[in-house]
Amino acid sequence: YWLDKLTCHIADLVLLDTPEHIDYFIKTFGLPGKKFRCLPVGSDDELFYPETNGNGNHRSKFLVFLVASFYPLHGVSTVIRAAKLLETHTDIKFLIVGNGITRPSVETLAKKLGVPNVTFKDIVPSYILPEIMARADVCLGHFGNTEHPNLVIPAKVYDAIASKKAVITGESKATKSVFSHNEHMLFCPFANAEALAEAILLLKKDSGLKEKISENAYRLFKERFSLEKTGARLYTILEEAISLK
């Protein structure tokens, strides 16, 4: 708390990724709003871009992909419970990549439930991640039922839409302020495995919807969140800040 408050107090300018995150900092640390500017996380589209890598309708398996640092906000246990609900759909497989504080408990839950359709893989270098993501039919965001998910849009969501992948993520205030349900991606209530399982089944059955939301989200990404657009936004913010000094 004091580290964040002190560093923000000393700084001339503070960059945060969403207006909701800015509001939280202003209220929590009693800081003036004029210090803050919003700069979306975006994605490096020189690394993440649309790529066909065996994820067409001809494949026998429907791959659901999640990359996670296993923070509580990621809600990976919800993904495990959703996978359990879908275990009778033997053509649906889950791949979870990453390491972090909750991974041991998540793996314990998977073993306890006897989930047969989830594969865990350790964290991989960033240049390999797009190659793995390209094989996915659907990419997942975050589903943790804490305060933090309501304030942010995860980098993994931007990376997925930059790769023109259909996304399912938690229904947060921050995400809803930028993206629309059924238009750019599918939203689920936080910590709701049943809703997540239903959304995965919907996209598996409705390839038209899957294609529509991935196309719309990719178009929005190119318009607002590419490396070029984010860089231009940062340039403008810094120019304004310097002019005020």
Side-chain angles (χ1 to χ4, degrees), residues 75-152:
V76 185
S77 61
T78 297
V79 178
I80 297 300
R81 295 183 189 280
K84 178 65 176 177
L85 292 172
L86 295 171
E87 65 178 337
T88 57
H89 299 268
T90 55
D91 54 345
I92 299 178
K93 300 297 181 183
F94 290 75
L95 174 60
I96 301 177
V97 172
N99 295 312
I101 189 170
T102 67
R103 177 162 171 173
S105 63
V106 167
E107 289 190 293
T108 298
L109 175 64
K111 290 176 183 176
K112 179 181 177 181
L113 294 177
V115 181
N117 50 357
V118 176
T119 299
F120 290 94
K121 184 179 179 66
D122 286 341
I123 194 168
V124 298
S126 58
Y127 64 87
I128 293 178
L129 189 58
E131 184 180 318
I132 298 174
M133 186 178 286
R135 298 197 294 268
D137 293 280
V138 170
C139 293
L140 302 181
H142 61 335
F143 304 94
N145 193 19
T146 64
E147 185 176 19
H148 193 188
N150 257 314
L151 306 177
V152 300

